[in-house]
Amino acid sequence: MGVMDKLKIFVVKEPVVAASCLIAGFGLFLPAVVRPILDSWETAEKVPPPPLNEVVAGVTGKKK
């Protein structure tokens, strides 16, 4: 009996465990692959955050 046959039997007997293993596989694979790709992209020049008094004025609706 080959590995694929054993895997098919396992999926039929334990579908919840098989689905959990599949989800865990994606959970391990995606961060290991996607994060380095995202980190390798050059980002645009960082925009400095606005001064806090401007943020407070915008939230409260008060003009300077």
Side-chain angles (χ1 to χ4, degrees):
M1 187 181 292
V3 175
M4 290 303 293
D5 291 333
K6 289 182 180 181
L7 184 61
K8 287 178 187 176
I9 292 171
F10 176 72
V11 170
V12 170
K13 287 185 176 181
E14 300 288 342
V16 175
V17 175
S20 297
C21 291
L22 186 65
I23 293 169
F26 278 116
L28 293 172
F29 171 78
L30 288 177
V33 173
V34 174
R35 187 78 243 172
I37 293 172
L38 293 177
D39 289 343
S40 69
W41 289 352
E42 289 188 25
T43 57
E45 189 174 312
K46 299 275 183 182
V47 178
L52 185 58
N53 58 354
E54 289 181 15
V55 174
V56 172
V59 169
T60 59
K62 297 179 182 177
K63 301 283 182 183
K64 287 185 177 181

